Amino acid sequence: MISKKVNSVQEWLPVDEILENGIIKLKNKNYIKILKIIPINFELKSNLEKEAILNSYKIFLKTCNFDIQILIQSNKEDLSNHILKIQKNNLNKNEKIKNISNNYINYIQEINKKRKSSSKNFYILIREKPENKKQKINENLEKIYCDKLNEKYFKIKESLSRCGNKVIQFEEKEEVEKIINSFFNTRKELNK
């Protein structure tokens, strides 16, 4: 009988460790930081504002003299919790209010079917990689890489804030684990 070696998920994932400051240490000795971007609604801006935003974005691209990865994650909207709340609020209401609420529920379900509503999350991943992969990483060297990643974060935050966007860094290990899980398991919602 031939036995197959079964690798665990932990062996397959490139993550070695999540450090206390939210920085991810990879098995290939690279360090990454995940930033969440909360964008502005560009379409609601005037032409003058749009031009200013685009100029600020150009400056952002010019000042980031390092590699970045932009990731957009789409999640289909689950309206079931919203509908349940409406139905619970209707339990002790009069017939007119119940009728209005039921019409509203039918309306949002119909719109969701037609447009296939989804929410989008925007992330920027930044990386710091050692110049010498064979070099032994000690605490001092790891701190240097983490400091460089934080400098990149502040540069991105400053540049994108000029465009009106909000930049959030993840510092808690649980938050980073939740984000990584959402990258690999797109059926789960981030809001849970």
Side-chain angles (χ1 to χ4, degrees):
M1 175 174 238
I2 301 172
S3 65
K4 289 184 178 179
K5 183 181 177 190
V6 179
N7 293 332
S8 69
V9 173
Q10 288 81 3
E11 290 176 28
W12 175 77
L13 285 175
V15 176
D16 184 29
E17 179 183 4
I18 299 173
L19 305 175
E20 291 301 316
N21 53 7
I23 292 174
I24 303 165
K25 181 180 177 183
L26 300 177
K27 290 178 181 174
N28 65 2
K29 298 184 180 181
N30 289 342
Y31 292 80
I32 62 171
K33 188 169 186 73
I34 302 171
L35 309 174
K36 184 172 184 174
I37 310 302
I38 300 174
I40 57 167
N41 192 335
F42 187 75
E43 292 302 317
L44 295 178
K45 302 297 180 183
S46 69
N47 287 337
L48 189 61
E49 289 172 316
K50 286 179 180 179
E51 191 175 322
I53 291 167
L54 288 174
N55 286 332
S56 295
Y57 191 69
K58 287 177 192 173
I59 293 169
F60 159 69
L61 292 175
K62 287 179 181 178
T63 58
C64 287
N65 55 352
F66 48 86
D67 293 340
I68 62 171
Q69 181 177 355
I70 299 173
L71 183 78
I72 301 171
Q73 184 183 56
S74 285
N75 298 311
K76 187 175 180 192
E77 281 300 318
D78 180 14
L79 299 175
S80 58
N81 288 337
H82 180 61
I83 291 170
L84 279 174
K85 286 179 187 176
I86 294 169
Q87 290 170 336
K88 283 180 184 177
N89 285 335
N90 279 343
L91 293 177
N92 299 325
K93 305 287 181 184
N94 67 36
E95 284 304 312
K96 192 172 186 178
I97 301 288
K98 285 182 183 180
N99 192 24
I100 291 170
S101 297
N102 287 333
N103 286 339
Y104 172 68
I105 290 170
N106 291 335
Y107 173 72
I108 62 173
Q109 286 175 329
E110 190 63 33
I111 286 179
N112 196 29
K113 274 186 204 172
K114 287 179 185 175
R115 297 187 185 162
K116 295 185 173 124
S117 301
S118 66
S119 63
K120 296 194 183 319
N121 292 308
F122 300 89
Y123 300 96
I124 291 181
L125 281 66
I126 50 178
R127 177 180 66 170
E128 188 60 42
K129 58 182 179 178
E131 293 166 12
N132 181 359
K133 294 253 184 190
K134 294 178 182 177
Q135 185 178 15
K136 179 90 170 136
I137 306 282
N138 58 31
E139 276 186 38
N140 293 335
L141 202 50
E142 189 169 274
K143 184 178 178 343
I144 291 169
Y145 295 142
C146 291
D147 288 345
K148 286 182 178 182
L149 278 174
N150 285 324
E151 286 175 29
K152 291 176 181 180
Y153 157 69
F154 286 116
K155 189 180 271 192
I156 289 171
K157 182 178 181 178
E158 181 183 330
S159 297
L160 286 180
S161 294
R162 286 188 202 134
C163 302
N165 301 297
K166 186 174 180 185
V167 180
I168 300 170
Q169 70 173 329
F170 299 101
E171 293 185 1
E172 299 297 321
K173 185 176 182 175
E174 293 79 25
E175 293 174 313
V176 175
E177 287 172 349
K178 189 176 179 181
I179 297 298
I180 292 172
N181 184 42
S182 76
F183 291 161
F184 290 103
N185 188 358
T186 57
R187 292 184 181 184
K188 282 197 174 184
E189 293 180 46
L190 285 175
N191 300 329
K192 289 185 179 178

